[in-house]
Amino acid sequence: MSNILKPVISKYSLLMMIMSVLSSFFLFSCGNNSNSYQNHLVFKYNEHKNIGSLDPAFAKDNADIWAINQLFNGLVQMDENLNVQPCIAKAWSISEDALTYSFSLRNDVQFHKHELFGKDSTRIVTASDFEYSFKRLIDKNIASPGSWTLNKVDHFTAVNDTLFQIQLNQAFPAFLGLLTMKYCSVVPREIVEHYKSDFRSHPIGTGPFKFKRWEENLKLIFRKNDNYFESDSNGNQLPYLEAVAITFLPDKQSEFLQFAQGNIDFVSGLDASYKDELLTANGNLRSQYETQINMIRGPYLNTEYLAFFMETELPEIQSDLLRKAINYGFDRQKMMTYLRNGIGIPAHGGFIPKGLPGYDDAIGFSFQPEKAKQLVQEFQTETGIATPEITITTTSNYLSFCEFIQRELQKIGITVNVDVIPAATLKDAKANGKLNLFRASWVADYPDAENYLSLYYSKNFAPNGPNYTHFKSEVFDQWYEEAFTITDTKKRERLYTKMDSLVMAKTPVVPLFYDEVVRFTRKEVSGLGINPINLLDLKRVKKIKD
């Protein structure tokens, strides 16, 4: 038994016995023959809540997206550097006016086998399958939460079996990125129409793995798709694994114990229950785990921040002097070290997070307490307010961050109150302009900086859009609209940086940190990789035999 379990194993001994039995049952119930594949070729991971659906039209939650990504493909896909790459579409072209997208499809992509396909139990994907899948995505009777991905689409059509064409109603350079989302996966009409809403639990796609078995809240099993169309750089067919096995332990401490014992191969994220056990204060893996565990970390497209409501009448919030003083007045690096064990990137750039084209680490704020004190004194002189006071509204999950900022800002002469309210209440209040200063986060819906900059476009004022600060700038609006017409990627990225710099100069927000993806794997696992959208891609994963 691993030494890392000795302090806690007695508390969980019964759980371990149960899980050991479950693991054995789990692994050997995947097929009629218990020896149909070996344990070292099965990738095992845990989800903390039940998956809602395996239908890509409902791929809303991360747990669903991870599972669906193993089963389905779309026209295009994203690589680990957020570059759009071919998938079922082997090539594409975009018209000069950036309105017409033409996709040339591969002619060797097959759906997973199913008796409803007839004699051959499968068939080749054609452009008409994408036409059907997209129509289904926007069908109001289906009510897919992903219908918005096609909001800027005027129409689409299968020109022939291998040519699919999409016409936009306005130029939108981020559109290819949208098409990488799992909502836009291809599904077969005959299977969907047979199962109807039960397609959620009888998925047939084209992905590297095929559906085998699902006992909700207990286990989910995928098997290797022997007819998968992608190969590695050496010409070897993907995937390498024989199966994927998913459990549904709701408790993260139990998940960690299963991981430590080798019963699961992978843990995502860093829970408070074990972060100090695994990591040093600087975010390094503790030495006692280095022979058993690999840690992978990288930027995640999530900006954590404080937001000012720019239309408030409160003098402290109206003053750009005080808003800048707050930005200069606390040590983000210290905050990350003490509160996150170094996981997360201090936000010294703008609102666009690190890892996304357009990010610039030179346009934000560093920790400069003397400068912050000077700005507070200038505010006091201008307004006659001797003791400036602000209130940060947050939820309990982020209380420690706000209390850290509270202590730091009091050192520069600002009295800070922290108001903790339920998440649902905060969401409603910030949308309706009822909070002067609040903690928030923005996770990208799609990997393009426009998604972040949309929070500062004046026509997106909340509650009708994501501009919760009610920031307004004619110059910014002009640049934002201009960005839609620029098809040159590098030129558009430079404009994004200018827009982000303008926002930071006006300080409607206080960026706190850019999140990081943290993954832990057993030493026998390789090829997992990491990406800024935290997508789980298992087609290149290998496990060495114990």
Side-chain angles (χ1 to χ4, degrees), residues 219-356:
K219 60 178 175 286
L220 175 61
I221 299 166
F222 303 146
R223 293 294 303 271
K224 177 180 181 177
N225 174 14
D226 291 321
N227 296 318
Y228 191 57
F229 61 94
E230 287 192 285
S231 301
D232 65 18
S233 58
N234 295 319
N236 299 310
Q237 186 184 21
L238 299 173
Y240 305 121
L241 297 166
E242 283 293 332
V244 177
I246 307 168
T247 52
F248 296 95
L249 280 173
D251 177 59
K252 292 187 178 182
Q253 180 70 44
S254 302
E255 177 189 67
F256 173 64
L257 291 173
Q258 284 294 296
F259 175 65
Q261 283 197 323
N263 292 327
I264 57 177
D265 299 304
F266 159 71
V267 170
S268 178
L270 191 66
D271 189 68
S273 64
Y274 55 78
K275 70 179 179 69
D276 293 328
E277 175 71 19
L278 266 178
L279 300 184
T280 66
N282 294 322
N284 297 315
L285 195 64
R286 292 192 182 275
S287 57
Q288 61 264 39
Y289 300 113
E290 290 178 350
T291 60
Q292 305 169 56
I293 294 172
N294 288 322
M295 182 175 75
I296 318 167
R297 58 190 285 189
Y300 176 46
L301 299 189
N302 173 30
T303 299
E304 299 281 344
Y305 64 103
L306 301 180
F308 301 104
F309 184 61
M310 301 295 279
E311 293 184 342
T312 183
E313 295 181 359
L314 193 69
E316 287 90 340
I317 304 299
Q318 285 184 336
S319 171
D320 64 341
L321 292 172
L322 215 64
R323 295 198 306 273
K324 287 179 179 177
I326 293 169
N327 268 288
Y328 283 121
F330 66 99
D331 189 339
R332 292 166 174 82
Q333 182 64 63
K334 182 180 176 183
M335 181 178 71
M336 300 312 296
T337 299
Y338 285 109
L339 300 180
R340 295 260 301 195
N341 289 71
I343 300 299
I345 302 163
H348 295 139
F351 194 71
I352 299 171
K354 187 171 184 178
L356 193 62

Side-chain angles (χ1 to χ4, degrees), residues 51-67:
I51 287 168
S53 176
L54 294 173
D55 182 343
F58 296 90
K60 182 178 181 180
D61 295 331
N62 212 41
D64 299 24
I65 292 169
W66 279 12

